[in-house]
Amino acid sequence: EGVSPFNNNNDRNSVGARVAMTRSLWDTTYRENTWIGREHAQGILPLLPKLKKIIDNRYPGTKLAITEYAYMGLSHVSGAIAQADALGIFAQNDVYMANFWGAVEGYVKTGFDLYRNYDGNGSTFGETFVQAQTNDVANTSVYASVHAADESKLHTIAINKNLDSAVKVKIALTANRQYKSAKVWLVDSRSPEIKAVKNIRVINNNSFDYTLPPLTIAHFVLTEEDLSIYPYF
């Protein structure tokens, strides 16, 4: 209880705070367990809705920037989770620019790479954001996008923030396109390397189930291509 929001420790309390603190960016129901959440600074939370309200009331049209932020966690998967979650939240809330403070390495770099180089060959999350939501904001986050030049592929990043329990997620789409399969990349506590894992070979009616282990991030690339013809991938 009462952990520092700026430490780089990997004890259980620090990890729990790190994966939860991104909710202070947007969630009116959340009170983070740090001095920011308990003392005078709590009045500015959740940060992005309050800043957007100020802009709308006093400076309409002004672009929003987060000029310095960091959730630390260089050597722990919680660093990747917080970073990936923050990037998705920034996109959802029309943040024009965000500047990371500190070294972009280890698991923090992984958080960026999940969007900017998830396969090691420069492949990226789409530049057109697609609405996505979860019914369990305490344990999971989800973000989706397409590339404007190729809407036959839908990128979805799903995060399990629970420290102890796997989460069985159901990805259900409301889309005109019918996606048949999905390629999957994962990162977890074993390594900051993003690894390709077994594809989802069949998607029925734009819906599929997937079990995410504790503290795991998945980048799904849903495709109209039939991947069931391949023996593994």
Side-chain angles (χ1 to χ4, degrees):
E1 182 173 331
V3 298
S4 167
F6 306 119
N7 76 47
N8 202 38
N9 299 336
N10 296 332
D11 60 278
R12 184 177 179 85
N13 285 343
S14 296
V15 168
R18 186 175 297 127
V19 299
M21 279 192 294
T22 50
R23 291 172 65 187
S24 286
L25 291 170
W26 67 273
D27 188 354
T28 58
T29 70
Y30 173 69
R31 178 69 58 83
E32 74 172 59
N33 185 27
T34 72
W35 60 263
I36 290 177
R38 294 192 313 277
E39 300 177 16
H40 66 277
Q42 68 179 277
I44 68 171
L45 303 179
L47 184 63
L48 296 178
K50 292 196 175 182
L51 288 176
K52 290 166 70 175
K53 185 176 181 179
I54 292 171
I55 289 172
D56 290 343
N57 289 341
R58 300 191 178 186
Y59 312 101
T62 302
K63 292 179 179 179
L64 175 59
I66 304 297
T67 55
E68 186 177 295
Y69 78 95
Y71 292 100
M72 313 303 282
L74 293 172
S75 62
H76 194 276
V77 66
S78 59
I81 287 173
Q83 180 57 44
D85 205 19
L87 292 176
I89 292 166
F90 293 158
Q92 278 186 334
N93 287 272
D94 300 319
V95 173
Y96 177 73
M97 180 179 70
N99 300 327
F100 180 80
W101 180 86
V104 181
E105 57 188 35
Y107 273 107
V108 169
K109 183 176 184 296
T110 301
F112 283 99
D113 285 345
L114 282 159
Y115 291 90
R116 303 304 303 160
N117 186 25
Y118 61 85
D119 63 354
N121 293 314
S123 296
T124 66
F125 196 67
E127 75 279 6
T128 302
F129 209 70
V130 174
Q131 183 179 6
Q133 60 185 26
T134 173
N135 61 4
D136 183 4
V137 297
N139 290 300
T140 64
S141 295
V142 62
Y143 306 102
S145 71
V146 294
H147 287 287
D150 183 11
E151 294 187 4
S152 67
K153 293 182 174 63
L154 175 69
H155 295 263
T156 302
I157 288 179
I159 304 173
N160 178 6
K161 297 179 282 188
N162 193 288
L163 277 62
D164 302 305
S165 301
V167 173
K168 185 175 182 179
V169 298
K170 176 179 286 294
I171 305 294
L173 313 173
T174 55
N176 294 327
R177 293 178 179 271
Q178 292 295 311
Y179 296 98
K180 297 179 180 178
S181 306
K183 296 182 179 181
V184 188
W185 284 263
L186 285 180
V187 63
D188 56 26
S189 60
R190 291 173 292 184
S191 166
E193 180 184 0
I194 303 169
K195 297 181 179 179
V197 296
K198 189 174 182 180
N199 293 333
I200 298 165
R201 299 178 68 183
V202 178
I203 294 175
N204 291 314
N205 298 319
N206 274 351
S207 177
F208 64 92
D209 296 328
Y210 199 89
T211 299
L212 288 172
L215 296 177
T216 296
I217 313 170
H219 185 144
F220 302 102
V221 182
L222 284 69
T223 176
E224 295 176 335
E225 181 184 0
D226 183 1
L227 300 178
S228 64
I229 63 176
Y230 299 105
Y232 179 80
F233 288 107

